[in-house]
Amino acid sequence: MGETLALFSALCFGLADFAAGLLSRHAKPELVALIGQVGGLIVTAAAAFFVRAPSVGVADLSWGGLSGLGTGIGVLFLYRGMSRGRMSVVVPLSVVGGVAVPVLAGVVLLGDRPDPLAWCGIVVAFPALWLIARGGNGGDGGTAHGAVDGLIAGAGFALQNIGLGQVDPSAGLWPIVASRVISALALLPMIRSGTPGAGLRPKLVLPAVFTGVLGAAAIVLYTLATQRQLLAISVVLSSLYPAIPVLLGIAVLKERLNRPQVLGLVGAAAAVVLLAG
C-alpha cells in the first residue's frame, strides 16, 4: 500500500508541474503560483482534519512556515523557468538542487553523516546539473534563463524540504497547512513586481487551482506513504516525478535535448535515487 501511495504522489507532482508549466506560458507565472498555492491550502486544510495529529506544537508549525517560504520561492522560479525555458531542463535542475542541498546542510549544520550512497549522489549531482544547464546556453537566451530559474527553484525546494524534515510526524498535516499559508503570503508581493505577462483569464483560473490541488494531494499521499512504508522507499518512489514533465515536454511540446543534456538527465536521475536511498 505504501509503495502505491508513493507512486501516486509522484504522478500528482509530475502532472502538477507539467500543467503549471503550460499555464505559465499563457499568464504571469507569479499569478499561477499564487492561485495554485491557495487551491492547495484549501485541500490540505480539509485533509488535515482526517489525518491523526496527536501533538501539534508551535515548533512544528514554525518549521512548516519556514518550509512554506521555500515553497513560495521554489514554485515561483520553477513556473517562471518553465514559462521561458524547457521543462525537460528546468524541472530536473530544481529537483536535484532540492534533494542535494538538504543533505549538505545536514552535514554542515546538523552534523549528519550520510552513507556512502548519499555521498555518491552528491558527487554525481553537480556535474549532472552542469550538463543539463550547459545545453541551454548555446544562443538560446530563454532556456539559459530557465536554467538559472531552475537552480534558484532548487534552493527554494531545499529550504522546503529542510523545514518539513524537522517536523514531528505526530503533528499530522497541520505543518503543511502552515506551509501553504506562508507560501501564499510570500507570493502576494510578487504579483505586481514579477515578470511582465498577461493576467489569468477566467477560463484558466480553475486549471491553476487544480495544479495546486494536485500538488497538495501529492504531499498528502507522500505523508501517508511514509506512515505505511519505509521512509527511504517512499522518498525514492516519490522522487521519480520529474520523469513525467520531462517526457511530456519531449512528447507534447517537442522539446529537443542535446547529448550532454541527456547525459545530465541520466546523472540527475541517478543522483536523486542515490541521495534519497
Side-chain angles (χ1 to χ4, degrees):
M1 183 63 177
E3 295 94 333
T4 302
L5 291 172
L7 287 172
F8 273 109
S9 172
L11 177 63
C12 289
F13 269 130
L15 291 176
D17 281 355
F18 180 73
L22 291 179
L23 289 172
S24 296
R25 298 184 179 194
H26 300 283
K28 292 184 67 172
E30 296 83 3
L31 194 55
V32 175
L34 175 61
I35 293 176
Q37 290 303 295
V38 172
L41 169 61
I42 295 171
V43 172
T44 306
F49 288 100
F50 299 95
V51 176
R52 187 171 177 272
S55 175
V56 184
V58 174
D60 296 317
L61 297 177
S62 298
W63 280 114
L66 179 64
S67 77
L69 180 61
T71 301
I73 295 171
V75 295
L76 171 63
F77 283 94
L78 175 63
Y79 295 0
R80 183 180 293 177
M82 290 192 294
S83 73
R84 55 187 180 180
R86 300 189 190 116
M87 290 188 194
S88 49
V89 169
V90 177
V91 174
L93 287 173
S94 70
V95 173
V96 177
V99 174
V101 172
V103 175
L104 291 175
V107 171
V108 175
L109 301 177
L110 303 177
D112 291 346
R113 294 293 179 265
D115 60 31
L117 286 179
W119 282 116
C120 289
I122 293 173
V123 171
V124 171
F126 291 103
L129 292 174
W130 181 77
L131 286 169
I132 295 170
R134 174 187 173 221
N137 295 332
D140 188 347
T143 301
H145 286 303
V148 173
D149 289 329
L151 291 172
I152 298 174
F157 291 136
L159 180 60
Q160 167 193 274
N161 294 336
I162 290 171
L164 289 179
Q166 306 306 309
V167 170
D168 189 328
S170 64
L173 297 181
W174 293 109
I176 300 176
V177 174
S179 174
R180 284 293 184 268
V181 170
I182 297 301
S183 64
L185 292 175
L187 287 166
L188 273 176
M190 303 296 178
I191 300 301
R192 292 186 178 180
S193 60
T195 55
L200 203 62
R201 297 193 298 274
K203 68 178 182 179
L204 298 181
V205 172
L206 282 180
V209 171
F210 187 60
T211 64
V213 171
L214 279 175
I219 291 182
V220 172
L221 289 168
Y222 170 75
T223 301
L224 295 176
T226 59
Q227 296 173 357
R228 291 166 171 78
Q229 180 56 269
L230 291 175
L231 178 62
I233 295 176
S234 297
V235 170
V236 171
L237 293 176
S238 63
S239 296
L240 297 176
Y241 79 87
I244 296 172
V246 168
L247 293 176
L248 288 176
I250 294 172
V252 177
L253 303 179
K254 309 302 180 184
E255 296 180 352
R256 294 184 178 181
L257 301 175
N258 55 36
R259 289 183 179 178
Q261 286 178 314
V262 173
L263 182 60
L265 288 173
V266 173
V272 169
V273 172
L274 289 169
L275 286 163

